């Protein structure tokens, strides 16, 4: 699983690496070692994209991007004078499986020599994925085990399956400024940030209605940006649109006003929920 490419036959749901969560007609797949929500299906609707034709792990499901979602200017984390890749290191390192049953899985990543080289903080990241009828809930708990404040600006990168021809017909509520029918999906697909105010609803033609929502913790929201992105249709993997809820936009980790700051000895949590209703 270290490679970004896998033979496509290995990606048909469920693979031997996927833990399967069930709640009535709702299925969720999770690959623990790379902290990937690989499948979300309600009835016959497979909500998340699977790269069956290419086996490209980097174009799959719902990955977590941490400690930074967006690229940093010149790749530099100014606070510490180190370099971080776009989307951070969370999807590149092995996670531990803490617990799993038919409805929930819990994963963990702890700071190590590898992470300290680019992000010199002592942390524990815990992810809990839970399934309910028609819904997937994703809780990210970020514990600062160090003695200094830990800045962080993570985000979620879901690939929602949609045919190229259907992209202009997406109907979106709660994302001011986004109009699918005004985008040139063939030649200039979007890579655009929009303000995120906690909930967006998307109607997928011939499929159903999807709600992307943050569940506030202690009355506070952490996700304030939504990046909309897809590939050109000439790319092998392009039958998706990403609606990506993030803490902040590009270079947010370097801007104190646009990142989270976790005090020593405390934990900050973000809870994201996807709710899908199949079109009758």
């Amino acid at each position: 699983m270290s490679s970004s490419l896998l033979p496509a036959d290995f990606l048909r749901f469920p693979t031997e690496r996927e833990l399967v969560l069930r709640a009535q007609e709702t299925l969720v797949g999770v690959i623990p070692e790379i902290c990937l929500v690989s499948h979300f299906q309600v009835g016959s609707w497979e909500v998340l994209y699977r790269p069956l034709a290419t086996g490209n792990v980097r174009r799959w499901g719902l990955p977590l991007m941490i400690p930074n979602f967006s690229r940093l200017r010149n790749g530099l984390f100014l606070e510490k004078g180190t370099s971080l890749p776009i989307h951070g290191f969370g999807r590149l390192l092995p996670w531990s499986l803490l617990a799993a049953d038919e409805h929930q899985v819990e994963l963990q990543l702890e700071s190590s020599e590898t992470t300290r080289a680019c992000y010199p903080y002592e942390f524990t990241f815990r992810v809990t994925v839970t399934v309910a009828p028609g819904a997937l809930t994703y809780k990210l708990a970020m514990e600062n085990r160090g003695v200094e404040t830990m800045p962080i600006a993570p985000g979620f990168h879901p690939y929602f399956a949609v045919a190229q021809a259907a992209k202009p017909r997406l109907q979106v509520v709660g994302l001011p400024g986004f109009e699918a029918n005004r985008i040139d999906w063939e030649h200039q697909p979007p890579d655009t940030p929009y303000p995120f105010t906690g909930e967006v609803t998307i109607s997928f033609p011939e499929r159903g209605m999807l709600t992307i929502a943050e569940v506030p913790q202690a009355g506070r929201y952490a996700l304030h940006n939504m990046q909309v992105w897809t590939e050109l249709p000439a790319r092998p993997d392009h039958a998706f649109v990403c609606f990506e809820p993030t803490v902040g936009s590009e270079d947010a980790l370097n801007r104190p006003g646009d990142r989270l700051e976790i005090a020593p000895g405390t934990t900050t949590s973000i809870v994201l929920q996807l709710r899908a209703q199949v079109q009758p």
Side-chain angles (χ1 to χ4, degrees), residues 23 36 38 56 61 77 91 102 109-110 125 128 130 140 142 153 158 179 186 188-189 197 213 219 226 250 266 271:
L36 177 68
S38 54
N56 187 353
F77 177 30
R91 62 176 178 167
E102 189 178 22
L109 178 69
E110 294 190 298
F125 299 151
T128 305
T130 307
L140 168 64
M142 301 162 287
E179 295 182 65
E186 298 298 315
Q188 293 182 308
T197 57
M226 178 166 280
E250 186 167 336
T266 67
V271 178

PDB file of all heavy atoms in Angstrom, residues 23 36 38 56 61 77 91 102 109-110 125 128 130 140 142 153 158 179 186 188-189 197 213 219 226 250 266 271:
ATOM      1  N   ALA A  23     -24.792  -0.220   8.430  1.00  0.00           N
ATOM      2  CA  ALA A  23     -25.986   0.209   9.156  1.00  0.00           C
ATOM      3  C   ALA A  23     -27.135   0.181   8.171  1.00  0.00           C
ATOM      4  O   ALA A  23     -27.251   1.059   7.315  1.00  0.00           O
ATOM      5  CB  ALA A  23     -25.807   1.598   9.753  1.00  0.00           C
ATOM      6  N   LEU A  36      -7.733   5.932   5.448  1.00  0.00           N
ATOM      7  CA  LEU A  36      -8.535   6.292   4.291  1.00  0.00           C
ATOM      8  C   LEU A  36      -9.951   5.745   4.427  1.00  0.00           C
ATOM      9  O   LEU A  36     -10.139   4.538   4.585  1.00  0.00           O
ATOM     10  CB  LEU A  36      -7.904   5.720   3.014  1.00  0.00           C
ATOM     11  CG  LEU A  36      -8.690   5.970   1.720  1.00  0.00           C
ATOM     12  CD1 LEU A  36      -8.680   7.461   1.362  1.00  0.00           C
ATOM     13  CD2 LEU A  36      -8.122   5.144   0.568  1.00  0.00           C
ATOM     14  N   SER A  38     -12.516   4.662   2.378  1.00  0.00           N
ATOM     15  CA  SER A  38     -12.418   4.234   0.987  1.00  0.00           C
ATOM     16  C   SER A  38     -13.769   4.040   0.306  1.00  0.00           C
ATOM     17  O   SER A  38     -13.822   3.914  -0.925  1.00  0.00           O
ATOM     18  CB  SER A  38     -11.632   2.922   0.919  1.00  0.00           C
ATOM     19  OG  SER A  38     -12.228   1.956   1.790  1.00  0.00           O
ATOM     20  N   ASN A  56      -5.180   4.366  -8.703  1.00  0.00           N
ATOM     21  CA  ASN A  56      -4.439   5.484  -8.135  1.00  0.00           C
ATOM     22  C   ASN A  56      -4.967   5.817  -6.738  1.00  0.00           C
ATOM     23  O   ASN A  56      -6.023   6.419  -6.578  1.00  0.00           O
ATOM     24  CB  ASN A  56      -4.549   6.707  -9.042  1.00  0.00           C
ATOM     25  CG  ASN A  56      -3.666   7.851  -8.605  1.00  0.00           C
ATOM     26  OD1 ASN A  56      -3.042   7.814  -7.556  1.00  0.00           O
ATOM     27  ND2 ASN A  56      -3.610   8.891  -9.423  1.00  0.00           N
ATOM     28  N   GLY A  61     -11.669   8.052  -2.442  1.00  0.00           N
ATOM     29  CA  GLY A  61     -12.371   8.113  -1.165  1.00  0.00           C
ATOM     30  C   GLY A  61     -12.303   9.431  -0.448  1.00  0.00           C
ATOM     31  O   GLY A  61     -12.452  10.514  -1.017  1.00  0.00           O
ATOM     32  N   PHE A  77       7.205  25.892   6.346  1.00  0.00           N
ATOM     33  CA  PHE A  77       6.471  26.141   7.589  1.00  0.00           C
ATOM     34  C   PHE A  77       7.285  27.168   8.365  1.00  0.00           C
ATOM     35  O   PHE A  77       8.299  26.847   8.995  1.00  0.00           O
ATOM     36  CB  PHE A  77       6.320  24.838   8.365  1.00  0.00           C
ATOM     37  CG  PHE A  77       5.640  24.967   9.695  1.00  0.00           C
ATOM     38  CD1 PHE A  77       4.691  25.938   9.946  1.00  0.00           C
ATOM     39  CD2 PHE A  77       5.961  24.087  10.728  1.00  0.00           C
ATOM     40  CE1 PHE A  77       4.066  26.053  11.175  1.00  0.00           C
ATOM     41  CE2 PHE A  77       5.347  24.186  11.967  1.00  0.00           C
ATOM     42  CZ  PHE A  77       4.401  25.166  12.188  1.00  0.00           C
ATOM     43  N   ARG A  91      -1.446  11.225   5.393  1.00  0.00           N
ATOM     44  CA  ARG A  91      -1.812  10.121   4.504  1.00  0.00           C
ATOM     45  C   ARG A  91      -0.595   9.314   4.054  1.00  0.00           C
ATOM     46  O   ARG A  91      -0.740   8.317   3.344  1.00  0.00           O
ATOM     47  CB  ARG A  91      -2.541  10.656   3.271  1.00  0.00           C
ATOM     48  CG  ARG A  91      -1.710  11.599   2.414  1.00  0.00           C
ATOM     49  CD  ARG A  91      -2.450  12.011   1.175  1.00  0.00           C
ATOM     50  NE  ARG A  91      -1.646  12.954   0.378  1.00  0.00           N
ATOM     51  CZ  ARG A  91      -1.916  13.289  -0.865  1.00  0.00           C
ATOM     52  NH1 ARG A  91      -2.975  12.757  -1.462  1.00  0.00           N
ATOM     53  NH2 ARG A  91      -1.165  14.141  -1.524  1.00  0.00           N
ATOM     54  N   GLU A 102     -18.729  -3.446  13.857  1.00  0.00           N
ATOM     55  CA  GLU A 102     -19.528  -3.334  12.644  1.00  0.00           C
ATOM     56  C   GLU A 102     -19.963  -1.900  12.345  1.00  0.00           C
ATOM     57  O   GLU A 102     -20.275  -1.563  11.203  1.00  0.00           O
ATOM     58  CB  GLU A 102     -20.771  -4.223  12.757  1.00  0.00           C
ATOM     59  CG  GLU A 102     -21.552  -4.335  11.462  1.00  0.00           C
ATOM     60  CD  GLU A 102     -22.745  -5.258  11.573  1.00  0.00           C
ATOM     61  OE1 GLU A 102     -23.233  -5.497  12.706  1.00  0.00           O
ATOM     62  OE2 GLU A 102     -23.204  -5.740  10.519  1.00  0.00           O
ATOM     63  N   LEU A 109      -2.481   8.116  15.114  1.00  0.00           N
ATOM     64  CA  LEU A 109      -1.136   8.445  14.649  1.00  0.00           C
ATOM     65  C   LEU A 109      -0.475   9.301  15.716  1.00  0.00           C
ATOM     66  O   LEU A 109      -1.050  10.301  16.156  1.00  0.00           O
ATOM     67  CB  LEU A 109      -1.184   9.203  13.321  1.00  0.00           C
ATOM     68  CG  LEU A 109       0.165   9.637  12.747  1.00  0.00           C
ATOM     69  CD1 LEU A 109       0.978   8.428  12.286  1.00  0.00           C
ATOM     70  CD2 LEU A 109      -0.018  10.632  11.594  1.00  0.00           C
ATOM     71  N   GLU A 110       0.744   8.912  16.115  1.00  0.00           N
ATOM     72  CA  GLU A 110       1.486   9.662  17.126  1.00  0.00           C
ATOM     73  C   GLU A 110       2.743  10.271  16.523  1.00  0.00           C
ATOM     74  O   GLU A 110       3.288   9.774  15.536  1.00  0.00           O
ATOM     75  CB  GLU A 110       1.850   8.764  18.303  1.00  0.00           C
ATOM     76  CG  GLU A 110       0.648   8.276  19.094  1.00  0.00           C
ATOM     77  CD  GLU A 110       1.051   7.585  20.385  1.00  0.00           C
ATOM     78  OE1 GLU A 110       1.745   6.550  20.307  1.00  0.00           O
ATOM     79  OE2 GLU A 110       0.670   8.080  21.459  1.00  0.00           O
ATOM     80  N   PHE A 125      -2.961  12.078  17.102  1.00  0.00           N
ATOM     81  CA  PHE A 125      -4.148  12.281  16.282  1.00  0.00           C
ATOM     82  C   PHE A 125      -4.989  11.013  16.352  1.00  0.00           C
ATOM     83  O   PHE A 125      -4.474   9.914  16.124  1.00  0.00           O
ATOM     84  CB  PHE A 125      -3.778  12.544  14.820  1.00  0.00           C
ATOM     85  CG  PHE A 125      -2.931  13.760  14.580  1.00  0.00           C
ATOM     86  CD1 PHE A 125      -2.044  13.804  13.506  1.00  0.00           C
ATOM     87  CD2 PHE A 125      -3.018  14.876  15.410  1.00  0.00           C
ATOM     88  CE1 PHE A 125      -1.258  14.912  13.278  1.00  0.00           C
ATOM     89  CE2 PHE A 125      -2.225  16.000  15.187  1.00  0.00           C
ATOM     90  CZ  PHE A 125      -1.338  16.015  14.111  1.00  0.00           C
ATOM     91  N   THR A 128     -12.041   8.695  14.473  1.00  0.00           N
ATOM     92  CA  THR A 128     -13.134   7.758  14.713  1.00  0.00           C
ATOM     93  C   THR A 128     -14.153   7.922  13.603  1.00  0.00           C
ATOM     94  O   THR A 128     -14.691   9.013  13.387  1.00  0.00           O
ATOM     95  CB  THR A 128     -13.802   8.019  16.074  1.00  0.00           C
ATOM     96  OG1 THR A 128     -12.811   7.977  17.105  1.00  0.00           O
ATOM     97  CG2 THR A 128     -14.870   6.970  16.363  1.00  0.00           C
ATOM     98  N   THR A 130     -17.732   6.524  12.085  1.00  0.00           N
ATOM     99  CA  THR A 130     -18.945   5.837  12.533  1.00  0.00           C
ATOM    100  C   THR A 130     -19.977   5.847  11.422  1.00  0.00           C
ATOM    101  O   THR A 130     -20.133   6.854  10.718  1.00  0.00           O
ATOM    102  CB  THR A 130     -19.524   6.532  13.777  1.00  0.00           C
ATOM    103  OG1 THR A 130     -18.504   6.645  14.782  1.00  0.00           O
ATOM    104  CG2 THR A 130     -20.702   5.752  14.349  1.00  0.00           C
ATOM    105  N   LEU A 140     -12.159  13.824  14.208  1.00  0.00           N
ATOM    106  CA  LEU A 140     -10.718  13.988  14.312  1.00  0.00           C
ATOM    107  C   LEU A 140     -10.405  14.674  15.640  1.00  0.00           C
ATOM    108  O   LEU A 140     -10.840  15.794  15.872  1.00  0.00           O
ATOM    109  CB  LEU A 140     -10.195  14.837  13.153  1.00  0.00           C
ATOM    110  CG  LEU A 140      -8.749  15.342  13.268  1.00  0.00           C
ATOM    111  CD1 LEU A 140      -7.760  14.184  13.284  1.00  0.00           C
ATOM    112  CD2 LEU A 140      -8.428  16.323  12.142  1.00  0.00           C
ATOM    113  N   MET A 142      -7.307  15.994  18.016  1.00  0.00           N
ATOM    114  CA  MET A 142      -5.896  16.372  17.937  1.00  0.00           C
ATOM    115  C   MET A 142      -5.404  16.758  19.322  1.00  0.00           C
ATOM    116  O   MET A 142      -5.772  17.808  19.848  1.00  0.00           O
ATOM    117  CB  MET A 142      -5.731  17.531  16.956  1.00  0.00           C
ATOM    118  CG  MET A 142      -6.206  17.203  15.546  1.00  0.00           C
ATOM    119  SD  MET A 142      -6.505  18.667  14.511  1.00  0.00           S
ATOM    120  CE  MET A 142      -8.032  19.286  15.263  1.00  0.00           C
ATOM    121  N   ALA A 153      -3.646  23.140  10.736  1.00  0.00           N
ATOM    122  CA  ALA A 153      -4.674  23.582   9.780  1.00  0.00           C
ATOM    123  C   ALA A 153      -5.047  22.419   8.861  1.00  0.00           C
ATOM    124  O   ALA A 153      -4.773  22.448   7.666  1.00  0.00           O
ATOM    125  CB  ALA A 153      -4.174  24.772   8.966  1.00  0.00           C
ATOM    126  N   PRO A 158     -12.582  14.818   0.262  1.00  0.00           N
ATOM    127  CA  PRO A 158     -13.455  13.784  -0.311  1.00  0.00           C
ATOM    128  C   PRO A 158     -13.584  13.896  -1.827  1.00  0.00           C
ATOM    129  O   PRO A 158     -13.768  14.980  -2.373  1.00  0.00           O
ATOM    130  CB  PRO A 158     -14.802  14.045   0.369  1.00  0.00           C
ATOM    131  CG  PRO A 158     -14.764  15.503   0.703  1.00  0.00           C
ATOM    132  CD  PRO A 158     -13.337  15.824   1.019  1.00  0.00           C
ATOM    133  N   GLU A 179     -21.504  28.226  -8.933  1.00  0.00           N
ATOM    134  CA  GLU A 179     -22.567  27.922  -9.888  1.00  0.00           C
ATOM    135  C   GLU A 179     -22.009  26.939 -10.905  1.00  0.00           C
ATOM    136  O   GLU A 179     -21.215  27.298 -11.778  1.00  0.00           O
ATOM    137  CB  GLU A 179     -23.054  29.187 -10.581  1.00  0.00           C
ATOM    138  CG  GLU A 179     -23.723  30.177  -9.639  1.00  0.00           C
ATOM    139  CD  GLU A 179     -24.243  31.400 -10.366  1.00  0.00           C
ATOM    140  OE1 GLU A 179     -25.168  31.249 -11.195  1.00  0.00           O
ATOM    141  OE2 GLU A 179     -23.713  32.497 -10.112  1.00  0.00           O
ATOM    142  N   GLU A 186     -14.761  21.362 -19.074  1.00  0.00           N
ATOM    143  CA  GLU A 186     -13.950  20.679 -20.082  1.00  0.00           C
ATOM    144  C   GLU A 186     -12.532  21.242 -20.185  1.00  0.00           C
ATOM    145  O   GLU A 186     -11.580  20.499 -20.440  1.00  0.00           O
ATOM    146  CB  GLU A 186     -14.633  20.779 -21.457  1.00  0.00           C
ATOM    147  CG  GLU A 186     -15.998  20.120 -21.525  1.00  0.00           C
ATOM    148  CD  GLU A 186     -15.917  18.628 -21.254  1.00  0.00           C
ATOM    149  OE1 GLU A 186     -15.021  17.965 -21.818  1.00  0.00           O
ATOM    150  OE2 GLU A 186     -16.744  18.129 -20.461  1.00  0.00           O
ATOM    151  N   GLN A 188     -11.350  24.416 -18.112  1.00  0.00           N
ATOM    152  CA  GLN A 188     -10.873  25.147 -16.936  1.00  0.00           C
ATOM    153  C   GLN A 188     -11.639  24.694 -15.689  1.00  0.00           C
ATOM    154  O   GLN A 188     -12.438  25.446 -15.133  1.00  0.00           O
ATOM    155  CB  GLN A 188     -11.035  26.659 -17.139  1.00  0.00           C
ATOM    156  CG  GLN A 188     -10.132  27.226 -18.221  1.00  0.00           C
ATOM    157  CD  GLN A 188     -10.286  28.731 -18.351  1.00  0.00           C
ATOM    158  OE1 GLN A 188     -11.394  29.262 -18.499  1.00  0.00           O
ATOM    159  NE2 GLN A 188      -9.172  29.449 -18.282  1.00  0.00           N
ATOM    160  N   PRO A 189     -11.429  23.447 -15.291  1.00  0.00           N
ATOM    161  CA  PRO A 189     -12.138  22.951 -14.112  1.00  0.00           C
ATOM    162  C   PRO A 189     -11.717  23.722 -12.866  1.00  0.00           C
ATOM    163  O   PRO A 189     -10.631  24.310 -12.824  1.00  0.00           O
ATOM    164  CB  PRO A 189     -11.707  21.487 -14.037  1.00  0.00           C
ATOM    165  CG  PRO A 189     -10.392  21.440 -14.746  1.00  0.00           C
ATOM    166  CD  PRO A 189     -10.484  22.457 -15.843  1.00  0.00           C
ATOM    167  N   THR A 197     -19.705  27.800   5.771  1.00  0.00           N
ATOM    168  CA  THR A 197     -20.384  28.261   6.980  1.00  0.00           C
ATOM    169  C   THR A 197     -21.014  27.123   7.768  1.00  0.00           C
ATOM    170  O   THR A 197     -21.892  27.346   8.582  1.00  0.00           O
ATOM    171  CB  THR A 197     -21.447  29.311   6.627  1.00  0.00           C
ATOM    172  OG1 THR A 197     -22.375  28.747   5.687  1.00  0.00           O
ATOM    173  CG2 THR A 197     -20.804  30.549   6.021  1.00  0.00           C
ATOM    174  N   ALA A 213     -21.591  18.492   6.417  1.00  0.00           N
ATOM    175  CA  ALA A 213     -21.831  19.368   7.567  1.00  0.00           C
ATOM    176  C   ALA A 213     -20.766  19.177   8.636  1.00  0.00           C
ATOM    177  O   ALA A 213     -20.318  18.052   8.892  1.00  0.00           O
ATOM    178  CB  ALA A 213     -23.207  19.096   8.170  1.00  0.00           C
ATOM    179  N   GLY A 219     -19.919  24.506  20.768  1.00  0.00           N
ATOM    180  CA  GLY A 219     -20.507  25.671  20.130  1.00  0.00           C
ATOM    181  C   GLY A 219     -19.625  26.344  19.096  1.00  0.00           C
ATOM    182  O   GLY A 219     -19.976  27.414  18.588  1.00  0.00           O
ATOM    183  N   MET A 226     -14.016  25.962   1.975  1.00  0.00           N
ATOM    184  CA  MET A 226     -14.331  24.784   1.168  1.00  0.00           C
ATOM    185  C   MET A 226     -13.681  24.951  -0.203  1.00  0.00           C
ATOM    186  O   MET A 226     -14.027  25.867  -0.962  1.00  0.00           O
ATOM    187  CB  MET A 226     -15.829  24.557   1.026  1.00  0.00           C
ATOM    188  CG  MET A 226     -16.150  23.346   0.139  1.00  0.00           C
ATOM    189  SD  MET A 226     -17.857  22.784   0.262  1.00  0.00           S
ATOM    190  CE  MET A 226     -17.810  21.813   1.780  1.00  0.00           C
ATOM    191  N   GLU A 250      -5.161  28.328   1.179  1.00  0.00           N
ATOM    192  CA  GLU A 250      -3.735  28.127   0.917  1.00  0.00           C
ATOM    193  C   GLU A 250      -2.860  28.889   1.904  1.00  0.00           C
ATOM    194  O   GLU A 250      -3.103  30.043   2.216  1.00  0.00           O
ATOM    195  CB  GLU A 250      -3.405  28.558  -0.512  1.00  0.00           C
ATOM    196  CG  GLU A 250      -1.981  28.248  -0.931  1.00  0.00           C
ATOM    197  CD  GLU A 250      -1.780  28.382  -2.425  1.00  0.00           C
ATOM    198  OE1 GLU A 250      -2.760  28.263  -3.177  1.00  0.00           O
ATOM    199  OE2 GLU A 250      -0.624  28.593  -2.840  1.00  0.00           O
ATOM    200  N   THR A 266      -3.933  19.844  25.907  1.00  0.00           N
ATOM    201  CA  THR A 266      -5.350  19.888  25.559  1.00  0.00           C
ATOM    202  C   THR A 266      -5.595  19.182  24.226  1.00  0.00           C
ATOM    203  O   THR A 266      -4.673  18.899  23.474  1.00  0.00           O
ATOM    204  CB  THR A 266      -5.881  21.333  25.465  1.00  0.00           C
ATOM    205  OG1 THR A 266      -5.271  21.988  24.346  1.00  0.00           O
ATOM    206  CG2 THR A 266      -5.570  22.106  26.744  1.00  0.00           C
ATOM    207  N   VAL A 271     -15.554  17.495  13.933  1.00  0.00           N
ATOM    208  CA  VAL A 271     -16.472  16.420  13.561  1.00  0.00           C
ATOM    209  C   VAL A 271     -17.148  16.793  12.243  1.00  0.00           C
ATOM    210  O   VAL A 271     -17.822  17.813  12.141  1.00  0.00           O
ATOM    211  CB  VAL A 271     -17.530  16.164  14.649  1.00  0.00           C
ATOM    212  CG1 VAL A 271     -18.496  15.069  14.199  1.00  0.00           C
ATOM    213  CG2 VAL A 271     -16.845  15.766  15.959  1.00  0.00           C
TER     214      VAL A 271
END
